[in-house]
Amino acid sequence: MTTAQLETEAAIEVAPRDLANAIRALSMDAVEAAQSGHPGMPMGMADVATTLFTRFLKFDPGAPDWPDRDRFVLSAGHGSMLLYALLHLTGYPDMTLQELKRFRRLGARTAGHPEYGHAAGIEMTTGPLGQGIATAVGMALAERMQSARHGDGLVDHHSYVIAGDGCLMEGISHEAIDLAGHLKLSKLIVLFDDNGISIDGSTDLATSMDQPARFAAAGWHVQSIDGHDTAEIAEAIERAKASDQPSLIACKTVIGFGAPHKQGTAATHGSPLGTEEVAAAREALGWPYEPFKIPETILMAWRGAGLRGRQERKRWEERLAAATPDARRCFEDGLSGALPSDFDETVTAVKRRFAEEAPKLATRQSSQEVLEALAGALPNLIGGSADLTGSNGTRTSGYQPVSAECFGGNYIHFGVREHAMAAAMNGLALHGGFIPYGGTFLVFADYGRPAMRLSALMGLRVIHVMTHDSIGLGEDGPTHQPVEHLAGLRAIPNVLVFRPADAVETAEAWQCALNEEATPSILCLSRQGLPTLRRRHITVNSVALGGYLIRKVKGDRDVTLLASGSEVSIAMEAAEQLSAEGLQAAVVSMPCWELFQRQSPAYRRAVLGAAPRLGIEAAVRDGWDRWLREGDRFVGMQGFGASAPAPDLYQYFGVTVDAAVKAARDLAG
């Protein structure tokens, strides 16, 4: 049917409940066909979603990536059929009826939880509860920051979230709503599916939290409504849009609404309704149609709703076209994520200075100097820290804090909120217009790991600055000394874990991380000062190889020392001592295992060599056997650290030049 016909048909009055019942029917049919899924939430929130999509949400299925569209995040990702039904009904071309029928099947766009990149209109991967609402905080923050730079004429949209009890029970929600309230992110509206049911049963089994009061305490505009009364829903959204605070609308709903024998119970949460209950629901809802059948008038009304934003999108395109060439280029360059043409020159200049001056710096300090140079070259590079700014070295001299009064800044004080920081960084990247980085101690990577894993799944360029990367942090002791974290982070697919050995490698690591448009990066940086090992400037980025010979030998090797980060200097000194004994010891710096794995087998063989190998790292051995063979040795940590000055700890735990020399001597035979 043509667009003109759709617009004409859209004028036909269709009751909101009938529109919502289309969502309910598609949801229970898809779950039933798959014999797997969660029908309760889509059926319970169908009235809320219908009101939002038909009357408020600014979107255009014909241009799903329109930059000024509203963002819709289904934080309660288990109710994925709600989103898939909405995308199909409103006319997203790639969300066909066939895709709904293939729900949860291999290769379908309709995965069990929404997966970013599987279909247009899916703004992020959700499923781990609480991640959606926390990521949406980053989206809403990006909108305000972009608007401050480019004006409301180009950037003026909302971020809407549907969240359930589980999302709000997760601890990350506290961090996220606190940050959003503090920053007064008024374009963020959370629609809370307040159905009082979780997997185990009634939520009063586990919580007595007054959620509206909690949000109000965090500085949110709060309303409580009947989630099945479309007039109340619409009025609440209007009030939320008019507020100067982020908004929570607690929508009292019945989970599995319409299933006469199971609604309001945990039985509808995560299991198909069953053939008999589906039939009973059809009768109760007045929906006599066969599975996956949507009456023409209802479908046309939905498709008309999908066309509602087309004219607004065209007016926005006209405003963009009318902007000055510089303003338009600035806006479009930011969205593209492309690095400026002089980016490599900027990094090269920093590398050259490091090589010439040969400073002894902690790599966290080297990183700060690199950021100082990058800040002017990359205006869309947005930094922050989880209340460790001075320790992480994430702030530059051009620091301007982002606040509720000034969104034009370039530095975000995330507070002691590592969970929310990592998720908000994902939101900043997903929204577009910014390249986010954020800092904390490496040992606290565990707090941000769920969001870091999601960034890897979604293929986002976010950069985590993780300092105090080993027992080298010293006196703070084993609670703060990461020994297993490198192994854990290296185990996540599609993540680059960098552990640079000196200032030059740190600059190269930043260059690599920024060049990776579809991969998150983690920079693991030292607290203790490290000597500059590469004192001859070369333009080639050796870190981009992942591993390389930083010390070669003439002729055949007797032993090869492999190390990362602060232990490369230990390996270099050990190699010198071995050389004095007549042993040929090559040293391989391995700043990024993932990039090394990308190289050809021939390159890896040439670097690693055939001689016995010794791995050296102030961390546990886990993962090192990828590079070490049977009979090879490892010098590192066997357990947790201790509280003492760093030099004492390296000596006590045997991560020393002497230990490396002895192990290498034994290997060389």
Side-chain angles (χ1 to χ4, degrees):
M1 186 169 285
T2 67
T3 298
Q5 287 173 309
L6 281 172
E7 290 173 335
T8 300
E9 291 292 338
I12 297 174
E13 287 295 328
V14 176
R17 180 55 56 85
D18 289 333
L19 295 175
N21 284 343
I23 296 173
R24 294 185 172 101
L26 289 174
S27 297
M28 63 184 183
D29 289 343
V31 172
E32 197 66 28
Q35 282 298 290
S36 174
H38 301 73
M41 194 280 277
M43 295 176 74
M45 284 295 281
D47 296 308
V48 173
T50 296
T51 306
L52 176 63
F53 270 70
T54 61
R55 296 182 59 176
F56 294 98
L57 195 73
K58 184 171 67 171
F59 69 108
D60 182 359
D65 295 328
W66 167 30
D68 201 37
R69 70 192 182 280
D70 287 340
R71 272 50 169 189
F72 173 71
V73 173
L74 186 67
S75 189
H78 55 274
S80 57
M81 266 310 305
L82 176 73
L83 178 55
Y84 301 149
L86 287 163
L87 297 180
H88 171 68
L89 290 168
T90 54
Y92 282 80
D94 58 356
M95 190 55 69
T96 63
L97 194 62
Q98 185 60 30
E99 289 294 341
L100 302 190
K101 292 178 179 179
R102 296 176 63 221
F103 178 55
R104 289 188 164 217
R105 299 306 183 204
L106 183 64
R109 299 183 188 277
T110 46
H113 293 80
E115 298 285 352
Y116 177 71
H118 281 208
I122 300 175
E123 297 285 2
M124 70 166 292
T125 295
T126 57
L129 294 176
Q131 288 291 329
I133 188 172
T135 302
V137 170
M139 293 179 178
L141 177 56
E143 188 275 342
R144 287 292 80 203
M145 292 173 66
Q146 257 204 326
S147 181
R149 287 159 175 73
H150 305 293
D152 286 346
L154 294 181
V155 186
D156 185 13
H157 54 265
H158 286 77
S159 297
Y160 293 93
V161 180
I162 286 183
D165 289 288
C167 293
L168 302 191
M169 285 190 214
E170 289 286 1
I172 191 173
S173 74
H174 175 76
E175 294 184 11
I177 68 172
D178 189 7
L179 180 61
H182 172 71
L183 291 172
K184 297 184 179 178
L185 298 178
S186 59
K187 297 297 187 71
L188 176 62
I189 298 175
V190 173
L191 301 154
F192 168 33
D193 180 18
D194 185 13
N195 61 41
I197 296 293
S198 62
I199 292 175
D200 281 356
S202 174
T203 54
D204 62 16
L205 292 169
T207 181
S208 302
M209 178 66 69
D210 183 338
Q211 293 292 359
R214 179 167 75 111
F215 277 77
W220 286 55
H221 176 261
V222 173
Q223 303 173 75
S224 296
I225 64 167
D226 179 348
H228 299 298
D229 185 322
T230 54
E232 272 196 52
I233 298 165
E235 290 167 4
I237 295 175
E238 290 282 12
R239 287 190 291 268
K241 291 182 68 174
S243 174
D244 62 357
Q245 300 169 284
S247 289
L248 174 77
I249 304 174
C251 307
K252 194 64 181 175
T253 60
V254 177
I255 190 171
F257 182 92
H261 308 110
K262 293 186 177 182
Q263 67 179 11
T265 72
T268 68
H269 175 85
S271 302
L273 296 179
T275 304
E276 291 184 5
E277 188 69 4
V278 168
R282 278 186 148 75
E283 183 175 351
L285 294 170
W287 192 267
Y289 313 105
E290 63 187 52
F292 296 104
K293 174 67 176 178
I294 306 297
E296 192 74 8
T297 54
I298 293 176
L299 182 59
M300 290 306 100
W302 268 114
R303 294 291 160 87
L307 289 170
R308 187 173 46 81
R310 188 181 64 166
Q311 291 304 317
E312 194 163 2
R313 186 258 301 173
K314 288 184 175 181
R315 288 191 293 272
W316 177 88
E317 290 174 343
E318 291 170 359
R319 292 195 297 275
L320 179 63
T324 66
D326 284 348
R328 186 166 61 252
R329 182 172 57 253
C330 181
F331 179 76
E332 291 174 340
D333 285 353
L335 285 178
S336 75
L339 300 175
S341 58
D342 62 351
F343 167 70
D344 289 329
E345 294 175 14
T346 300
V347 177
T348 297
V350 177
K351 281 177 55 178
R352 180 181 290 108
R353 178 170 63 82
F354 283 154
E356 292 172 351
E357 296 177 0
K360 184 176 183 179
L361 292 174
T363 49
R364 61 173 178 152
Q365 294 172 304
S366 306
S367 172
Q368 187 168 23
E369 292 197 20
V370 176
L371 281 171
E372 192 70 47
L374 293 178
L378 297 174
N380 295 316
L381 185 64
I382 301 298
S385 172
D387 199 50
L388 289 167
T389 293
S391 296
N392 298 150
T394 45
R395 185 170 67 192
T396 65
S397 60
Y399 152 82
Q400 291 293 329
V402 174
S403 70
E405 292 73 37
C406 178
F407 287 107
N410 58 7
Y411 193 84
I412 304 164
H413 289 279
F414 286 104
V416 188
R417 303 185 184 102
E418 291 90 353
H419 300 69
M421 177 178 72
M425 287 165 61
N426 288 350
L428 286 162
L430 284 164
H431 181 276
F434 299 105
I435 302 171
Y437 70 89
T440 188
F441 291 171
L442 179 58
V443 77
F444 301 139
D446 287 342
Y447 286 149
R449 187 183 175 95
M452 293 160 68
R453 185 174 185 272
L454 284 182
S455 67
L457 267 169
M458 293 186 280
L460 304 180
R461 177 169 50 185
V462 296
I463 302 171
H464 297 270
V465 180
M466 301 280 184
T467 68
H468 297 61
D469 70 342
S470 71
I471 58 172
L473 70 87
E475 292 86 344
D476 276 345
T479 61
H480 282 52
Q481 293 166 4
V483 294
E484 78 278 23
H485 294 72
L486 288 168
L489 295 172
R490 286 167 176 161
I492 306 174
N494 193 41
V495 171
L496 299 183
V497 180
F498 294 94
R499 191 166 184 249
D502 65 2
V504 175
E505 281 196 1
T506 301
E508 291 183 337
W510 268 107
Q511 187 176 28
C512 291
L514 286 164
N515 273 309
E516 290 284 337
E517 294 189 18
T519 306
S521 296
I522 303 168
L523 274 62
C524 303
L525 307 174
S526 74
R527 178 182 186 269
Q528 72 272 35
L530 303 178
T532 299
L533 302 174
R534 290 168 50 189
R535 301 188 179 191
R536 183 176 64 85
H537 173 67
I538 58 172
T539 56
V540 173
N541 186 323
S542 297
V543 168
L545 298 169
Y548 66 98
L549 280 163
I550 194 169
R551 186 185 191 275
K552 300 178 181 180
V553 298
K554 294 180 180 179
D556 295 334
R557 306 179 200 176
D558 294 311
V559 66
T560 299
L561 311 183
L562 315 175
S564 79
S566 47
E567 287 69 68
V568 177
S569 60
I570 291 177
M572 293 288 278
E573 190 173 339
E576 289 297 322
Q577 289 194 25
L578 291 165
S579 177
E581 298 177 13
L583 293 175
Q584 298 286 351
V587 177
V588 177
S589 178
M590 301 193 69
C592 184
W593 292 11
E594 297 79 20
L595 290 179
F596 189 55
Q597 189 66 48
R598 289 184 188 177
Q599 308 309 311
S600 69
Y603 174 80
R604 293 198 301 272
R605 284 195 300 270
V607 169
L608 296 172
R613 301 170 192 168
L614 171 66
I616 311 170
E617 191 170 67
V620 296
R621 179 169 176 158
D622 295 57
W624 269 94
D625 290 314
R626 188 188 312 181
W627 318 118
L628 302 178
R629 304 155 304 184
E630 186 176 353
D632 290 339
R633 299 277 295 276
F634 178 75
V635 170
M637 297 296 293
Q638 306 299 315
F640 292 115
S643 178
D648 295 349
L649 292 171
Y650 272 86
Q651 189 69 36
Y652 179 77
F653 288 110
V655 186
T656 63
V657 172
D658 288 346
V661 167
K662 181 180 184 306
R665 192 187 294 130
D666 291 346
L667 280 171

